[in-house]
Amino acid sequence: MSPGPLVSIAYHSGFGHTDVLAEAVRAGAVDTGAAVHLIRVDEITDEQWSALDSSDAIIFGSPTYMGTASGAFHVFAEATSKRFALAVWRDKLAAGFTNSGAMSGDKLHTLQFFTVLAAQLGMHWINLGLHPGWNTSQASENDLNRLGFHLGAAAQTNVDQGAEAVHKADIATAAHLGRRVARTATVFRAGRLPTA
């Protein structure tokens, strides 16, 4: 039996909210049999760049600040140009998650930024794969995908509250994303193995 896929979570967190989501994504991927690296992009080392290069899937994460990913994540994204030039990440899987203070908060733009980055790097984007929650009179704010995003996992946390206030449904949605990426990476990895 072949080992599970290697999934890396390349993310930035300004005030701890995105740390909570990154840990949920990690837990979901681990539950599905993946080995996972958590990599804070504002502290990235050469060894962690190598881990990204050897990963089957890379999940991007950042808070949404002023309608886009954080400045620290943008610095990381620009640094991937070396991988772009050599097509190092071509055909890896990619996905993303974000958090902001408002229900919308222009989080869609952050997720779209991640998808364009992934496309430039030749990666395959994995969407959230969930119907929207909390959109009928019988629904609840505790539904998975309560904010109704499709490109990735999106969370909302009040700006006057700390990381402990990240909504449990958003944490569960992030874990779902980790599981989905790990399962898809398992399929892709199996497809690349030589047949007997």
Side-chain angles (χ1 to χ4, degrees):
M1 184 172 167
S2 63
L6 178 58
V7 175
S8 287
I9 302 166
Y11 78 101
H12 174 246
S13 184
F15 299 96
H17 308 100
T18 315
D19 283 313
V20 172
L21 297 175
E23 177 54 36
V25 172
R26 185 203 66 77
V30 167
D31 284 348
T32 313
V36 182
H37 293 294
L38 272 179
I39 299 171
R40 285 192 58 119
V41 299
D42 54 335
E43 303 169 353
I44 194 166
T45 65
D46 288 341
E47 182 181 2
Q48 289 172 324
W49 277 112
S50 295
L52 291 170
D53 294 343
S54 63
S55 295
D56 296 294
I58 301 172
I59 304 173
F60 302 128
S62 172
T64 295
Y65 293 154
M66 302 307 292
T68 189
S70 67
F73 192 92
H74 276 268
V75 169
F76 163 77
E78 188 173 325
T80 66
S81 62
K82 294 177 183 176
R83 272 71 190 166
F84 166 81
L86 300 174
V88 176
W89 293 0
R90 182 175 293 163
D91 292 330
K92 293 184 185 298
L93 304 181
F97 61 95
T98 188
N99 179 82
S100 73
M103 288 294 183
S104 169
D106 293 318
K107 286 185 276 280
L108 178 60
H109 185 262
T110 299
L111 293 172
Q112 288 172 328
F113 168 71
F114 292 158
T115 64
V116 172
L117 174 64
Q120 288 184 332
L121 291 161
M123 303 171 79
H124 302 290
W125 187 260
I126 306 301
N127 60 50
L128 185 58
L130 286 174
H131 289 298
W134 200 21
N135 65 353
T136 71
S137 61
Q138 303 302 311
S140 161
E141 69 174 291
N142 296 312
D143 293 342
L144 284 179
N145 196 20
R146 69 186 181 110
L147 301 180
F149 282 76
H150 295 279
L151 276 187
Q156 180 274 332
T157 311
N158 295 331
V159 297
D160 59 345
Q161 292 183 288
E164 72 286 349
V166 177
H167 199 286
K168 64 182 180 180
D170 296 341
I171 294 171
T173 300
H176 167 85
L177 178 68
R179 286 190 296 273
R180 179 169 168 81
V181 171
R183 287 185 187 121
T184 306
T186 299
V187 172
F188 268 64
R189 186 179 178 87
R192 291 192 183 108
L193 293 175
T195 56

